[in-house]
Amino acid sequence: MVVKMAAMDDHERKIVVEFCHLLDKSKNLFNGLRDLPQYGHKQWQTYFGRTFDVYTKLWKFQQQHRQILDTKYGLKRWQIGEIASKIGQLYYHYYLRTSETNYLNEAFSFYSAIRGRAYYSRASKEDRSDLMVKKLRYYARFIVVCLLLKKMKLVRDLVMELDKQIVDYTSTYEPDDQLEWSLVLEEIKSFIKADGIVSVLHADSNTIVLSHRLSPLTTPPVEKSTIMNLSLQEIVIIGNCTDQVKFSELTMDMFRMLQTLEREPQDDYNHLYDSPAPGRVPFEKSYSVSSAKGGVGYPSMVMCQENGDRPVKRENPHKYLLYKPTYSQIMVFLASGFKELPANGALLLYISADGCFSSTKHPEDMGYDLGGVITNSKREQDHSNKKGIHCKDMHCLYPGDLYPFTRKPFFVIVDSDNSFVFQHLPRYFGQPLVILMSPQDIPPNFHEHQHNGNLFTMFLHSPLTAFCYICNINSVPIHHWERCQSFIDRFVTEASRLLTRSRIDPVYLQFFGDDFLRLLVLRYIFCDIALHLHRSFKSRQLRPRCQPPLPEADLLEHPSLHHLVLDLATHLDVRGHFVDTGETD
């Protein structure tokens, strides 16, 4: 943009020059973010801090000198929107790097302000296709943030607006882009539909959106002991199910699991329904958000404060989200999480992927000869060498690939049709190791719904949703849901009591002191018992497995847990789906 400097006095010229300087500096720093390593904790923090600092100054500067910038520089509303959008992106990416959900709220506040103040409303009048593309991308990013915050009513409104914007863009500028953006729209719609596979209904039949993040209301109780000395610190989440719905490099399983492994924001855990409070600005102990007249909040400080060499305790374990990663990427991110583990820290690996099956009839190496899971659909050009000897799949993750990471406490969850091959992971180094494995198959009548997400992950994310799903229940009134949830709570409390008092491999107790890992183990127990009692899941291949095995008589076959599951089925009026008392093996 050419600015007519001659028509300004010194004060006005100084303001325009400073604004241009801050604008250029902010863009350069923002563009440099993509070159930062995606792994590790410290390499990127200084750069993020500098970037936030410049955007803070830029945002405040345009607020304080809006009139001069409007008249002398020709500042347009879409340019203000672009700055706010970049700050929203910064907050979102900071959430991805820290796993702290409060940063999602900050991203939401900026994206929401762009929409509320209609910063992009005149983008289509500029006769520039690139501005319309920025507007479409803003909508897509805003939808992702709203999905993660479970603001589903707003998501549906945004989808309708995006649909209209796509029509405007493709009819005016780029008809050839119609297919690409239509696919994006269909992805979002499919994702929303899959996420609401069981509807919870208000008295007026409107859907209520529930959060399934960990809160004081859902944290399972435990009788603490000294052996419970591990805490979950690092997580790697991998997703590559071919037919599963996904949006923005998040499969449905990844989406569900990342929420399962996060706490409800501290100031929000009593507010679990989808009823956003306009104008509400969240606060986080490591940063604050200010608000100035005529503008939205800006980040005044975002970096986690250091206390000597010890960082402020995180609310959530740190996680990496890997969509269709290559073998090399998996090794780099696992090694990074492994390296960052503090004393008594545990690493969790969650895999949701299609099976990679072996044709070896007489396996000699249990780590590599039984196959694994496919994490990336790429295929090497030549799978055989010149002598015709078959080579193993480059992008199959084998159990043997995980051996090095068993040097530290390791918790593994595999949701795959080849999950059971991971039960042979040895404890070479004597460190705590637990593996939870999904059923390898599901009954035929559930196959057509597999694109909505895997059943095992659904149980780990929301046991009551999964229970309703296997009983063909599509909707539940809220008062009924809350009553049913009390059965789940009683089951989890009783299972926790039985597990700590049973003759069990001590590795479970070592992990049991961590809220997230305890919840996963107890939901696994509910999943195993519910499927064991369900008439459609009689085959062993249709039930999950774990390593080390959990005790049968003291836990998985305990009458009190079986009765709670059957009482829940009775309350939902689906008792006929389950075996009669005394009919189990």
Side-chain angles (χ1 to χ4, degrees):
M1 177 182 293
V2 178
V3 181
K4 297 180 180 178
M5 306 292 280
M8 308 179 204
D9 59 30
D10 289 345
H11 174 65
E12 292 168 340
R13 187 179 297 110
K14 189 178 294 186
I15 287 172
V16 170
V17 168
E18 178 63 14
F19 177 77
C20 292
H21 168 70
L22 288 173
L23 192 62
D24 287 343
K25 190 174 181 181
S26 67
K27 287 179 179 178
N28 289 334
L29 284 169
F30 189 89
N31 292 336
L33 291 174
R34 66 173 64 96
D35 298 325
L36 295 178
Q38 298 296 311
Y39 49 85
H41 289 181
K42 296 180 180 178
Q43 301 97 315
W44 51 268
Q45 286 195 344
T46 302
Y47 194 96
F48 254 88
R50 286 172 57 205
T51 308
F52 267 116
D53 186 49
V54 170
Y55 271 98
T56 297
K57 291 176 182 176
L58 177 62
W59 188 258
K60 288 177 70 175
F61 195 84
Q62 64 85 20
Q63 288 178 325
Q64 293 165 355
H65 305 287
R66 179 73 58 79
Q67 186 175 359
I68 292 174
L69 291 171
D70 283 349
T71 56
K72 302 300 180 180
Y73 175 79
L75 184 65
K76 298 184 183 299
R77 291 189 66 75
W78 64 262
Q79 292 174 298
I80 302 170
E82 190 171 14
I83 296 169
S85 181
K86 292 276 178 60
I87 297 173
Q89 287 180 65
L90 280 174
Y91 271 124
Y92 175 67
H93 285 287
Y94 204 76
Y95 155 73
L96 290 179
R97 287 176 179 268
T98 62
S99 301
E100 295 304 340
T101 46
N102 284 302
Y103 296 118
L104 270 178
N105 283 316
E106 301 307 328
F108 173 81
S109 69
F110 276 90
Y111 285 148
S112 184
I114 293 169
R115 180 171 177 258
R117 297 164 193 249
Y119 283 136
Y120 280 125
S121 62
R122 298 187 62 81
S124 58
K125 309 293 185 186
E126 294 289 327
D127 196 28
R128 286 175 52 186
S129 62
D130 61 316
L131 288 184
M132 285 299 291
V133 171
K134 287 179 181 179
K135 187 176 184 178
L136 298 180
R137 288 176 177 167
Y138 149 73
Y139 268 102
R141 293 185 184 110
F142 193 11
I143 288 169
V144 171
V145 169
C146 290
L147 281 170
L148 289 167
L149 289 173
K150 306 299 286 185
K151 297 182 182 292
M152 302 308 292
K153 182 180 182 300
L154 181 53
V155 166
R156 290 182 175 88
D157 292 342
L158 292 171
V159 168
M160 287 192 294
E161 292 175 24
L162 176 58
D163 197 351
K164 182 179 180 300
Q165 297 297 330
I166 290 171
V167 171
D168 289 348
Y169 167 66
T170 54
S171 62
T172 307
Y173 296 107
E174 301 289 346
D176 293 343
D177 288 355
Q178 175 76 44
L179 179 60
E180 182 182 345
W181 280 105
S182 294
L183 288 174
V184 171
L185 200 63
E186 285 308 309
E187 273 190 357
I188 299 169
K189 290 177 179 178
S190 298
F191 201 91
I192 295 169
K193 184 178 179 181
D195 188 39
I197 194 166
V198 176
S199 301
V200 181
L201 303 177
H202 202 272
D204 59 5
S205 297
N206 285 327
T207 302
I208 295 174
V209 180
L210 302 176
S211 171
H212 297 293
R213 287 186 170 90
L214 188 67
S215 78
L217 303 177
T218 56
T219 302
V222 65
E223 300 171 11
K224 285 286 180 77
S225 66
T226 54
I227 195 175
M228 299 177 187
N229 58 353
L230 296 174
S231 68
L232 180 59
Q233 294 291 321
E234 295 288 330
I235 301 167
V236 177
I237 294 177
I238 295 172
N240 182 33
C241 288
T242 308
D243 296 327
Q244 193 170 117
V245 296
K246 67 97 180 172
F247 177 55
S248 186
E249 299 201 338
L250 273 181
T251 66
M252 181 53 68
D253 281 352
M254 293 171 70
F255 177 68
R256 286 175 175 150
M257 187 51 61
L258 76 88
Q259 293 174 79
T260 304
L261 297 169
E262 291 177 350
R263 296 183 191 277
E264 204 67 46
Q266 282 185 329
D267 57 352
D268 216 28
Y269 67 77
N270 282 322
H271 190 72
L272 300 183
Y273 301 120
D274 181 28
S275 51
R280 177 181 162 278
V281 179
F283 285 83
E284 162 85 351
K285 61 189 174 188
S286 61
Y287 67 93
S288 62
V289 172
S290 305
S291 184
K293 184 178 180 181
V296 296
Y298 63 87
S300 56
M301 182 60 185
V302 188
M303 305 309 298
C304 293
Q305 304 298 318
E306 298 286 336
N307 179 13
D309 293 329
R310 295 184 309 158
V312 173
K313 183 181 181 297
R314 291 195 302 262
E315 290 299 319
N316 297 308
H318 175 257
K319 56 185 176 298
Y320 297 112
L321 304 174
L322 304 181
Y323 174 66
K324 294 184 181 293
T326 62
Y327 170 79
S328 302
Q329 289 172 319
I330 294 171
M331 290 299 106
V332 166
F333 283 90
L334 272 175
S336 179
F338 181 90
K339 178 185 176 184
E340 298 284 350
L341 279 183
N344 295 326
L347 170 66
L348 184 150
L349 170 63
Y350 167 84
I351 306 169
S352 165
D354 300 325
C356 175
F357 297 93
S358 171
S359 58
T360 304
K361 294 182 179 179
H362 303 289
E364 298 177 4
D365 186 340
M366 302 299 275
Y368 289 95
D369 286 350
L370 295 176
V373 293
I374 301 170
T375 61
N376 189 290
S377 303
K378 291 179 181 176
R379 285 286 180 268
E380 301 303 309
Q381 288 184 346
D382 184 12
H383 277 272
S384 303
N385 62 18
K386 292 180 180 178
K387 294 181 180 180
I389 300 174
H390 186 71
C391 297
K392 286 182 166 61
D393 194 312
M394 171 86 173
H395 294 298
C396 175
L397 185 72
Y398 296 92
D401 295 326
L402 302 182
Y403 290 175
F405 305 104
T406 62
R407 286 176 167 85
K408 291 184 180 181
F410 199 20
F411 198 101
V412 182
I413 302 172
V414 185
D415 197 338
S416 172
D417 51 358
N418 198 27
S419 60
F420 292 175
V421 299
F422 286 84
Q423 67 188 306
H424 303 294
L425 271 182
R427 289 170 62 184
Y428 284 136
F429 304 97
Q431 290 290 333
L433 173 66
V434 163
I435 304 135
L436 306 183
M437 294 158 280
S438 71
Q440 290 200 294
D441 199 2
I442 57 175
N445 53 313
F446 293 106
H447 284 176
E448 63 182 87
H449 299 295
Q450 278 188 285
H451 63 277
N452 292 327
N454 286 327
L455 179 62
F456 185 59
T457 295
M458 199 185 300
F459 267 104
L460 298 181
H461 173 63
S462 172
L464 185 50
T465 300
F467 192 85
C468 290
Y469 174 71
I470 62 172
C471 297
N472 301 316
I473 296 173
N474 299 319
S475 62
V476 183
I478 181 61
H479 66 279
H480 207 42
W481 177 274
E482 290 175 342
R483 173 79 175 134
C484 293
Q485 189 60 51
S486 70
F487 285 96
I488 302 285
D489 295 340
R490 284 161 56 194
F491 180 98
V492 164
T493 300
E494 177 68 0
S496 179
R497 185 185 70 82
L498 290 172
L499 187 144
T500 53
R501 298 181 182 184
S502 64
R503 289 166 293 182
I504 194 171
D505 192 302
V507 298
Y508 281 103
L509 296 178
Q510 287 177 276
F511 286 120
F512 216 60
D514 182 87
D515 292 346
F516 292 105
L517 298 179
R518 182 165 70 256
L519 188 70
L520 291 170
V521 170
L522 295 173
R523 286 178 175 176
Y524 169 88
I525 295 169
F526 178 80
C527 173
D528 185 66
I529 293 176
L531 296 185
H532 180 45
L533 295 175
H534 198 287
R535 294 184 185 277
S536 298
F537 292 82
K538 300 307 292 179
S539 165
R540 192 65 189 91
Q541 298 291 102
L542 302 177
R543 289 174 54 199
R545 289 187 187 179
C546 61
Q547 186 64 30
L550 288 166
E552 295 284 337
D554 293 346
L555 191 61
L556 297 180
E557 296 287 350
H558 200 281
S560 65
L561 297 182
H562 283 220
H563 285 143
L564 282 168
V565 171
L566 295 176
D567 287 347
L568 172 60
T570 300
H571 191 72
L572 282 167
D573 199 22
V574 290
R575 185 64 178 78
H577 285 280
F578 295 85
V579 299
D580 296 326
T581 306
E583 193 180 325
T584 55
D585 297 337

